[in-house]
Coordinates of all heavy atoms in Angstrom, one line a residue:
S1 N 120.9 108.8 94.1 CA 122.0 108.9 93.2 C 122.7 107.5 93.3 O 122.8 107.0 94.4 CB 123.0 110.0 93.5 OG 124.2 109.9 92.8
A2 N 123.1 106.9 92.2 CA 123.8 105.7 92.1 C 125.1 105.8 92.9 O 125.7 104.7 93.5 CB 124.0 105.3 90.7
K3 N 125.7 106.9 93.1 CA 127.0 107.0 93.8 C 126.8 106.6 95.3 O 127.9 106.4 95.9 CB 127.5 108.4 93.7 CG 127.8 108.8 92.3 CD 128.3 110.3 92.2 CE 128.6 110.7 90.8 NZ 128.9 112.1 90.7
L4 N 125.7 106.6 95.8 CA 125.4 106.3 97.2 C 125.5 104.8 97.3 O 125.5 104.3 98.5 CB 124.0 106.7 97.6 CG 123.9 108.3 97.6 CD1 122.5 108.6 97.9 CD2 124.8 109.0 98.5
F5 N 125.5 104.0 96.3 CA 125.4 102.4 96.5 C 126.7 101.8 96.0 O 127.3 102.2 94.9 CB 124.3 101.9 95.6 CG 123.0 102.4 96.1 CD1 122.3 103.5 95.6 CD2 122.3 101.8 97.1 CE1 121.2 104.0 96.0 CE2 121.0 102.3 97.5 CZ 120.4 103.3 97.0
E6 N 127.3 100.9 96.7 CA 128.4 100.1 96.3 C 128.0 99.1 95.2 O 126.8 98.8 95.0 CB 128.9 99.3 97.4 CG 129.5 100.2 98.5 CD 130.1 99.3 99.6 OE1 130.5 98.1 99.3 OE2 130.1 99.8 100.8
N7 N 128.9 98.7 94.3 CA 128.7 97.7 93.3 C 128.2 96.4 94.0 O 128.7 96.1 95.0 CB 129.9 97.6 92.5 CG 130.2 98.6 91.5 OD1 129.4 99.5 91.3 ND2 131.3 98.6 90.9
N8 N 127.3 95.8 93.2 CA 126.7 94.5 93.7 C 126.1 94.5 95.1 O 126.2 93.6 95.9 CB 127.8 93.4 93.7 CG 128.2 93.0 92.3 OD1 127.5 92.8 91.3 ND2 129.6 93.0 92.1
S9 N 125.4 95.7 95.4 CA 124.8 95.9 96.7 C 123.3 95.9 96.7 O 122.7 95.9 97.7 CB 125.3 97.2 97.3 OG 124.9 98.3 96.6
I10 N 122.7 96.0 95.5 CA 121.3 96.0 95.3 C 120.7 94.7 94.7 O 121.2 94.3 93.6 CB 120.9 97.2 94.4 CG1 121.4 98.5 95.1 CG2 119.3 97.3 94.3 CD1 121.3 99.7 94.2
D11 N 119.8 94.1 95.3 CA 119.1 92.9 94.8 C 118.4 93.1 93.5 O 118.5 92.3 92.6 CB 118.2 92.2 95.8 CG 119.0 91.6 96.9 OD1 120.2 91.2 96.8 OD2 118.4 91.4 98.0
M12 N 117.7 94.2 93.5 CA 116.9 94.4 92.2 C 116.8 95.8 91.9 O 116.7 96.8 92.8 CB 115.4 94.0 92.4 CG 114.5 94.2 91.2 SD 112.9 93.7 91.6 CE 112.0 94.5 90.3
V13 N 116.9 96.2 90.6 CA 116.8 97.6 90.1 C 115.6 97.6 89.0 O 115.6 96.7 88.2 CB 118.1 98.0 89.5 CG1 117.8 99.3 88.7 CG2 119.1 98.3 90.5
Y14 N 114.8 98.6 89.1 CA 113.7 98.8 88.2 C 113.9 100.2 87.6 O 113.8 101.2 88.2 CB 112.4 98.6 88.8 CG 111.2 98.6 87.9 CD1 110.8 97.5 87.3 CD2 110.6 99.8 87.6 CE1 109.7 97.5 86.4 CE2 109.5 99.9 86.8 CZ 109.1 98.7 86.2 OH 108.0 98.7 85.3
I15 N 114.2 100.2 86.3 CA 114.5 101.5 85.6 C 113.2 102.0 84.9 O 112.6 101.4 84.0 CB 115.7 101.3 84.6 CG1 116.9 101.1 85.4 CG2 115.8 102.6 83.8 CD1 118.2 100.6 84.5
D16 N 112.9 103.2 85.3 CA 111.7 103.9 84.6 C 111.7 105.4 84.9 O 111.1 105.9 85.7 CB 110.4 103.3 85.2 CG 109.1 103.8 84.5 OD1 109.3 104.3 83.4 OD2 108.1 103.7 85.1
A17 N 112.6 106.0 84.2 CA 112.8 107.5 84.4 C 112.8 108.2 83.0 O 111.9 108.3 82.4 CB 114.1 107.8 85.2
D18 N 114.0 108.6 82.7 CA 114.2 109.3 81.3 C 113.9 108.3 80.3 O 114.4 107.2 80.2 CB 115.6 109.8 81.3 CG 115.9 110.6 80.0 OD1 115.2 110.4 79.0 OD2 116.8 111.5 80.1
H19 N 113.0 108.7 79.4 CA 112.5 107.7 78.3 C 113.2 107.9 77.0 O 112.9 107.3 76.0 CB 111.0 107.8 78.2 CG 110.3 107.4 79.3 ND1 110.1 108.1 80.4 CD2 109.6 106.1 79.5 CE1 109.4 107.4 81.4 NE2 109.2 106.2 80.8
S20 N 114.3 108.7 76.9 CA 115.0 108.9 75.7 C 116.1 107.8 75.6 O 116.4 107.2 76.5 CB 115.8 110.3 75.7 OG 116.8 110.3 76.6
Y21 N 116.5 107.6 74.3 CA 117.5 106.6 74.1 C 118.8 106.8 75.0 O 119.2 106.0 75.7 CB 118.0 106.6 72.7 CG 119.1 105.7 72.3 CD1 119.1 104.4 72.2 CD2 120.4 106.3 72.3 CE1 120.2 103.6 72.0 CE2 121.5 105.5 72.0 CZ 121.5 104.2 71.8 OH 122.6 103.4 71.6
A22 N 119.2 108.1 74.9 CA 120.5 108.4 75.7 C 120.2 108.3 77.2 O 121.1 107.9 77.9 CB 120.9 109.9 75.4
G23 N 119.1 108.7 77.6 CA 118.8 108.6 79.1 C 118.7 107.3 79.6 O 119.2 106.9 80.6
V24 N 118.0 106.3 78.9 CA 117.9 104.9 79.2 C 119.3 104.3 79.2 O 119.7 103.5 80.1 CB 116.9 104.3 78.3 CG1 116.9 102.8 78.5 CG2 115.4 104.9 78.4
K25 N 120.0 104.6 78.2 CA 121.4 104.0 78.1 C 122.2 104.4 79.3 O 122.9 103.6 79.8 CB 122.0 104.4 76.8 CG 123.4 103.8 76.5 CD 123.9 104.3 75.1 CE 125.3 103.6 74.9 NZ 125.8 103.9 73.6
R26 N 122.2 105.7 79.6 CA 122.9 106.2 80.8 C 122.4 105.5 82.0 O 123.3 105.0 82.8 CB 122.7 107.7 81.0 CG 123.5 108.3 82.1 CD 123.3 109.8 82.1 NE 122.0 110.2 82.1 CZ 121.3 110.9 81.1 NH1 121.9 111.1 80.0 NH2 120.0 111.2 81.2
D27 N 121.1 105.3 82.2 CA 120.6 104.6 83.4 C 121.1 103.2 83.5 O 121.5 102.6 84.6 CB 119.1 104.7 83.6 CG 118.6 106.1 83.9 OD1 119.3 106.8 84.4 OD2 117.4 106.4 83.6
L28 N 121.0 102.5 82.4 CA 121.4 101.0 82.3 C 122.8 101.0 82.6 O 123.3 100.1 83.4 CB 121.1 100.5 80.8 CG 119.8 100.5 80.5 CD1 119.7 100.1 78.9 CD2 118.9 99.4 81.2
E29 N 123.7 101.7 82.0 CA 125.2 101.8 82.3 C 125.5 102.1 83.8 O 126.4 101.5 84.4 CB 125.9 102.6 81.5 CG 125.9 102.2 80.0 CD 126.5 103.2 79.0 OE1 126.6 104.3 79.3 OE2 126.6 102.8 77.8
T30 N 124.7 103.0 84.4 CA 125.0 103.4 85.8 C 124.5 102.4 86.8 O 125.2 102.1 87.8 CB 124.2 104.7 86.0 OG1 124.6 105.7 85.1 CG2 124.4 105.2 87.5
W31 N 123.3 101.8 86.5 CA 122.7 100.8 87.6 C 123.2 99.4 87.5 O 123.1 98.6 88.4 CB 121.3 101.0 87.6 CG 120.9 102.3 88.2 CD1 120.6 103.4 87.5 CD2 120.9 102.6 89.6 NE1 120.3 104.4 88.4 CE2 120.5 104.0 89.7 CE3 121.2 102.0 90.7 CZ2 120.4 104.6 90.9 CZ3 121.1 102.6 92.0 CH2 120.7 103.8 92.1
W32 N 123.6 99.0 86.2 CA 124.1 97.6 86.0 C 125.1 97.1 87.0 O 124.9 96.1 87.7 CB 124.6 97.5 84.6 CG 125.2 96.1 84.3 CD1 126.4 95.7 84.3 CD2 124.3 94.9 83.9 NE1 126.4 94.3 83.9 CE2 125.2 93.9 83.7 CE3 122.9 94.8 83.7 CZ2 124.7 92.6 83.4 CZ3 122.5 93.5 83.3 CH2 123.4 92.5 83.2
P33 N 126.3 97.8 87.4 CA 127.3 97.4 88.3 C 126.7 97.3 89.7 O 127.3 96.6 90.5 CB 128.4 98.4 88.1 CG 128.0 99.5 87.4 CD 126.6 99.1 86.6
K34 N 125.7 98.1 90.0 CA 125.1 98.2 91.3 C 124.2 97.0 91.7 O 124.0 96.7 92.9 CB 124.2 99.5 91.6 CG 125.0 100.7 91.2 CD 126.2 100.9 92.0 CE 126.9 102.2 91.5 NZ 128.1 102.5 92.3
T35 N 123.8 96.2 90.6 CA 122.7 95.3 90.9 C 123.3 93.9 90.9 O 124.2 93.4 90.1 CB 121.8 95.3 89.6 OG1 121.4 96.7 89.4 CG2 120.6 94.4 89.8
K36 N 122.8 93.1 91.9 CA 123.3 91.7 92.1 C 122.5 90.7 91.4 O 123.0 89.7 90.9 CB 123.2 91.3 93.6 CG 124.3 91.9 94.4 CD 124.3 91.3 95.9 CE 123.2 91.6 96.6 NZ 123.2 91.2 98.0
K37 N 121.1 90.8 91.3 CA 120.2 89.7 90.9 C 119.3 90.1 89.7 O 119.5 89.5 88.7 CB 119.4 89.2 92.1 CG 120.2 88.7 93.1 CD 119.3 88.2 94.4 CE 120.3 87.6 95.5 NZ 119.4 87.2 96.6
I38 N 118.4 91.0 90.0 CA 117.4 91.2 88.9 C 117.6 92.7 88.4 O 117.5 93.7 89.2 CB 115.8 91.1 89.4 CG1 115.7 89.7 90.0 CG2 114.9 91.4 88.4 CD1 115.8 88.5 89.0
F39 N 117.7 92.8 87.1 CA 117.9 94.1 86.5 C 116.7 94.3 85.6 O 116.4 93.4 84.7 CB 119.1 94.1 85.7 CG 119.7 95.5 85.3 CD1 120.0 96.3 86.1 CD2 119.7 95.7 83.8 CE1 120.5 97.6 85.7 CE2 120.2 97.0 83.4 CZ 120.6 97.9 84.3
S40 N 115.8 95.3 85.8 CA 114.6 95.4 85.1 C 114.2 96.8 84.8 O 114.8 97.8 85.3 CB 113.5 94.7 86.0 OG 113.5 95.4 87.2
G41 N 113.0 96.9 84.1 CA 112.5 98.3 84.0 C 111.2 98.3 83.2 O 110.6 97.2 83.1
H42 N 110.8 99.5 82.6 CA 109.6 99.7 82.1 C 109.7 100.3 80.7 O 110.8 100.8 80.4 CB 108.7 100.6 83.0 CG 107.3 100.7 82.6 ND1 106.7 101.9 82.3 CD2 106.4 99.7 82.5 CE1 105.4 101.6 82.1 NE2 105.2 100.4 82.1
D43 N 108.7 100.2 79.9 CA 108.5 100.9 78.6 C 109.2 100.2 77.5 O 109.6 100.7 76.4 CB 108.9 102.3 78.6 CG 108.0 103.1 79.6 OD1 106.7 102.8 79.4 OD2 108.4 103.9 80.3
Y44 N 109.5 98.8 77.6 CA 110.1 98.1 76.5 C 109.0 97.8 75.4 O 107.9 97.3 75.8 CB 110.6 96.8 77.0 CG 111.3 96.0 75.9 CD1 112.6 96.3 75.6 CD2 110.7 95.0 75.2 CE1 113.3 95.6 74.6 CE2 111.3 94.3 74.2 CZ 112.6 94.6 73.8 OH 113.3 94.0 72.9
Q45 N 109.3 98.2 74.3 CA 108.3 98.1 73.1 C 107.1 99.0 73.3 O 106.1 98.8 72.7 CB 107.9 96.6 72.8 CG 109.1 95.9 72.3 CD 108.7 94.5 72.1 OE1 107.8 93.8 72.5 NE2 109.4 93.8 71.0
H46 N 107.2 100.0 74.1 CA 106.2 101.0 74.2 C 106.1 101.8 72.9 O 107.2 102.4 72.5 CB 106.4 101.9 75.4 CG 105.2 102.7 75.7 ND1 104.7 103.8 75.0 CD2 104.3 102.7 76.8 CE1 103.7 104.3 75.5 NE2 103.4 103.7 76.6
P47 N 104.9 102.1 72.3 CA 104.9 102.7 71.0 C 105.4 104.3 71.2 O 105.7 104.8 70.2 CB 103.4 102.6 70.6 CG 102.7 102.2 71.8 CD 103.6 101.6 72.7
L48 N 105.3 104.8 72.2 CA 105.8 106.2 72.4 C 107.2 106.4 72.7 O 107.7 107.5 72.7 CB 104.9 106.9 73.5 CG 103.4 107.1 73.2 CD1 102.7 107.7 74.4 CD2 103.1 107.7 71.9
F49 N 107.9 105.3 73.2 CA 109.3 105.4 73.6 C 110.2 104.4 72.9 O 110.8 103.5 73.6 CB 109.3 105.2 75.1 CG 108.4 106.1 75.9 CD1 107.4 105.6 76.7 CD2 108.5 107.4 75.8 CE1 106.5 106.3 77.3 CE2 107.7 108.3 76.6 CZ 106.7 107.7 77.3
S50 N 110.3 104.5 71.6 CA 111.2 103.5 70.9 C 112.7 103.6 71.4 O 113.3 102.5 71.3 CB 111.0 103.7 69.4 OG 111.5 105.0 69.1
G51 N 113.1 104.7 71.8 CA 114.5 104.8 72.3 C 114.7 103.8 73.5 O 115.9 103.4 73.6
C52 N 113.7 103.7 74.4 CA 113.9 102.7 75.4 C 114.2 101.3 74.9 O 115.2 100.7 75.3 CB 112.6 102.7 76.3 SG 112.3 104.1 77.1
T53 N 113.4 100.9 73.9 CA 113.6 99.6 73.4 C 115.0 99.4 72.8 O 115.7 98.4 73.0 CB 112.6 99.3 72.3 OG1 111.3 99.3 73.0 CG2 112.6 97.7 71.8
Y54 N 115.3 100.3 72.0 CA 116.8 100.3 71.3 C 117.9 100.3 72.3 O 118.8 99.4 72.3 CB 117.0 101.4 70.3 CG 116.0 101.4 69.2 CD1 115.3 102.5 68.9 CD2 115.9 100.3 68.3 CE1 114.4 102.5 67.8 CE2 115.1 100.3 67.3 CZ 114.3 101.4 67.0 OH 113.5 101.3 65.9
A55 N 117.8 101.0 73.3 CA 118.8 101.1 74.4 C 118.9 99.7 75.1 O 119.9 99.3 75.5 CB 118.6 102.3 75.3
I56 N 117.7 99.3 75.5 CA 117.7 98.0 76.3 C 118.2 96.9 75.5 O 119.0 96.1 75.9 CB 116.2 97.8 76.8 CG1 115.7 98.8 77.7 CG2 116.1 96.3 77.4 CD1 114.3 99.0 77.9
D57 N 117.8 96.7 74.2 CA 118.2 95.7 73.3 C 119.8 95.8 73.2 O 120.5 94.7 73.4 CB 117.6 95.7 72.0 CG 116.2 95.2 72.0 OD1 115.8 94.6 72.9 OD2 115.5 95.6 71.0
E58 N 120.3 96.9 72.8 CA 121.8 97.1 72.6 C 122.6 96.7 73.9 O 123.5 96.0 73.9 CB 122.0 98.5 72.2 CG 121.8 98.8 70.8 CD 122.0 100.3 70.5 OE1 122.6 101.1 71.4 OE2 121.8 100.6 69.4
F59 N 122.0 97.2 75.0 CA 122.8 97.0 76.3 C 122.8 95.5 76.8 O 123.9 95.0 77.0 CB 122.1 97.8 77.5 CG 122.8 97.8 78.7 CD1 124.0 98.5 79.0 CD2 122.5 96.9 79.7 CE1 124.7 98.4 80.1 CE2 123.2 96.8 80.9 CZ 124.3 97.6 81.1
L60 N 121.6 94.9 76.7 CA 121.6 93.4 77.1 C 122.3 92.6 76.1 O 123.0 91.7 76.6 CB 120.2 93.0 77.3 CG 119.4 93.7 78.5 CD1 118.0 93.1 78.6 CD2 120.2 93.4 79.8
Q61 N 122.3 92.9 74.9 CA 123.2 92.1 73.9 C 124.6 92.3 74.2 O 125.3 91.3 74.1 CB 122.7 92.5 72.4 CG 121.5 92.1 72.0 CD 121.0 92.7 70.8 OE1 121.8 93.4 70.1 NE2 119.8 92.5 70.2
S62 N 124.9 93.5 74.6 CA 126.5 93.8 74.8 C 126.9 93.0 76.1 O 128.0 92.6 76.2 CB 126.7 95.2 75.0 OG 126.2 95.7 76.2
K63 N 126.0 92.8 76.9 CA 126.2 91.9 78.2 C 126.0 90.4 78.1 O 126.1 89.6 79.0 CB 125.4 92.5 79.4 CG 125.6 93.9 79.8 CD 127.1 94.1 80.3 CE 127.3 95.6 80.6 NZ 128.7 95.8 81.0
N64 N 125.5 90.1 76.9 CA 125.1 88.7 76.6 C 124.1 88.2 77.6 O 124.2 87.1 78.0 CB 126.5 87.8 76.6 CG 126.2 86.5 75.8 OD1 125.3 86.5 74.9 ND2 126.9 85.5 76.2
H65 N 123.1 89.0 77.8 CA 122.0 88.6 78.8 C 120.8 88.5 78.0 O 120.5 89.4 77.1 CB 121.9 89.6 79.9 CG 122.7 89.2 81.1 ND1 122.3 88.6 82.1 CD2 124.0 89.5 81.3 CE1 123.3 88.5 83.0 NE2 124.4 89.0 82.4
D66 N 119.8 87.5 78.3 CA 118.5 87.3 77.7 C 117.6 88.4 78.3 O 117.7 88.8 79.4 CB 118.0 86.0 78.0 CG 118.8 84.9 77.4 OD1 119.4 85.1 76.3 OD2 118.8 83.8 77.9
L67 N 116.7 88.8 77.4 CA 115.6 89.8 77.9 C 114.4 88.9 78.1 O 114.0 88.1 77.3 CB 115.4 90.8 76.7 CG 114.2 91.7 76.8 CD1 114.5 92.7 77.9 CD2 113.9 92.3 75.6
N68 N 113.7 89.2 79.1 CA 112.4 88.6 79.4 C 111.3 89.8 79.4 O 111.6 90.8 80.1 CB 112.4 88.0 80.8 CG 113.4 86.9 80.9 OD1 113.3 85.8 80.4 ND2 114.7 87.2 81.5
K69 N 110.4 89.5 78.7 CA 109.2 90.5 78.6 C 108.1 90.1 79.4 O 107.8 88.9 79.5 CB 108.8 90.7 77.1 CG 110.0 91.2 76.2 CD 109.5 91.5 74.8 CE 109.5 90.1 74.0 NZ 109.1 90.3 72.7
E70 N 107.4 91.0 80.0 CA 106.2 90.9 80.8 C 105.1 91.8 80.3 O 105.4 92.8 79.5 CB 106.5 91.1 82.3 CG 107.6 90.3 82.9 CD 107.2 88.9 83.1 OE1 106.0 88.6 83.2 OE2 108.1 87.9 83.1
P71 N 103.9 91.7 80.7 CA 102.8 92.5 80.3 C 103.1 94.0 80.7 O 103.8 94.3 81.6 CB 101.6 92.0 81.0 CG 101.9 90.7 81.3 CD 103.3 90.5 81.5
Y72 N 102.4 94.9 80.0 CA 102.5 96.3 80.3 C 103.9 96.9 80.1 O 104.4 97.9 80.9 CB 101.9 96.7 81.7 CG 100.5 96.2 81.8 CD1 100.3 95.1 82.7 CD2 99.5 96.8 81.1 CE1 99.0 94.5 82.8 CE2 98.2 96.2 81.3 CZ 98.0 95.1 82.1 OH 96.7 94.6 82.2
Y73 N 104.7 96.4 79.1 CA 106.0 97.0 78.7 C 107.1 96.8 79.7 O 108.1 97.4 79.7 CB 105.8 98.5 78.4 CG 104.7 98.8 77.5 CD1 103.5 99.4 78.0 CD2 104.7 98.4 76.2 CE1 102.5 99.7 77.1 CE2 103.6 98.6 75.3 CZ 102.5 99.3 75.8 OH 101.5 99.6 74.9
N74 N 106.8 95.8 80.6 CA 108.0 95.6 81.6 C 109.0 94.5 81.0 O 108.6 93.8 80.2 CB 107.3 94.9 82.9 CG 106.5 95.9 83.7 OD1 107.0 96.8 84.1 ND2 105.2 95.7 83.8
W75 N 110.2 94.7 81.5 CA 111.2 93.8 81.0 C 112.2 93.5 82.2 O 112.1 94.2 83.2 CB 112.0 94.4 79.9 CG 112.8 95.6 80.3 CD1 112.2 96.9 80.2 CD2 114.1 95.7 80.9 NE1 113.1 97.7 80.8 CE2 114.3 97.1 81.1 CE3 115.1 94.8 81.2 CZ2 115.5 97.5 81.8 CZ3 116.2 95.3 81.7 CH2 116.4 96.6 82.0
W76 N 112.9 92.3 82.2 CA 113.9 92.1 83.2 C 114.9 91.0 82.7 O 114.7 90.4 81.7 CB 113.2 91.5 84.3 CG 112.4 90.2 84.3 CD1 111.2 90.1 83.8 CD2 112.9 88.9 84.4 NE1 110.8 88.9 83.7 CE2 111.9 88.0 84.1 CE3 114.1 88.3 84.9 CZ2 112.0 86.6 84.2 CZ3 114.2 87.0 85.0 CH2 113.1 86.2 84.7
T77 N 116.0 91.0 83.3 CA 117.0 90.0 83.1 C 117.7 89.6 84.5 O 117.6 90.3 85.4 CB 118.1 90.4 82.1 OG1 118.9 89.3 81.8 CG2 119.1 91.5 82.8
Q78 N 118.1 88.4 84.6 CA 118.7 87.9 85.9 C 120.2 87.9 85.7 O 120.7 87.2 84.8 CB 118.1 86.5 86.2 CG 118.7 86.1 87.6 CD 117.9 84.9 88.1 OE1 116.9 84.5 87.5 NE2 118.5 84.2 89.1
K79 N 120.9 88.5 86.6 CA 122.4 88.4 86.7 C 122.8 87.2 87.3 O 122.1 86.6 88.2 CB 122.9 89.7 87.3 CG 122.7 91.1 86.6 CD 123.2 92.2 87.2 CE 124.8 92.2 87.0 NZ 125.4 93.5 87.5
E80 N 124.0 86.9 87.2 CA 124.6 85.7 87.8 C 125.0 85.9 89.2 O 125.2 86.9 89.6 CB 125.7 85.0 86.8 CG 125.1 84.7 85.5 CD 126.2 84.5 84.5 OE1 127.3 84.9 84.7 OE2 125.8 83.9 83.5

């Protein structure tokens, strides 16, 4: 549970759990403050999980962060 971690206490987070729009949005909002450096995950532009892509795009745009895409539907951004 994210409640076990203080804000800015984790170097890297990789999100790959609930694949619904609402679930991904919740995970992004929950883990963002906990992360210091690399915020990442899976299923970006995956044809079966379009909700993931929409949630990730909206979230990173709201934070004014660039999205980096990697093979096999991986994505990441670097926090300051």
Side-chain angles (χ1 to χ4, degrees):
S1 170
K3 294 177 184 177
L4 299 174
F5 298 93
E6 294 182 27
N7 287 351
N8 295 310
S9 66
I10 302 171
D11 286 336
M12 180 184 163
V13 166
Y14 187 86
I15 296 172
D16 186 22
D18 185 329
H19 292 82
S20 68
Y21 169 82
V24 173
K25 185 175 179 179
R26 182 178 53 249
D27 286 343
L28 297 170
E29 291 170 349
T30 299
W31 289 100
W32 180 261
K34 308 298 180 181
T35 310
K36 287 192 292 187
K37 297 179 182 179
I38 304 295
F39 194 66
S40 61
H42 192 236
D43 296 314
Y44 185 81
Q45 295 182 325
H46 192 291
L48 298 178
F49 306 119
S50 61
C52 291
T53 302
Y54 293 127
I56 294 161
D57 284 342
E58 286 178 0
F59 185 81
L60 292 181
Q61 287 172 6
S62 76
K63 299 296 183 186
N64 199 29
H65 271 261
D66 293 331
L67 172 75
N68 300 284
K69 296 183 282 183
E70 300 290 337
Y72 305 106
Y73 311 110
N74 292 296
W75 64 270
W76 62 277
T77 192
Q78 185 168 345
K79 291 182 75 176
E80 299 165 343

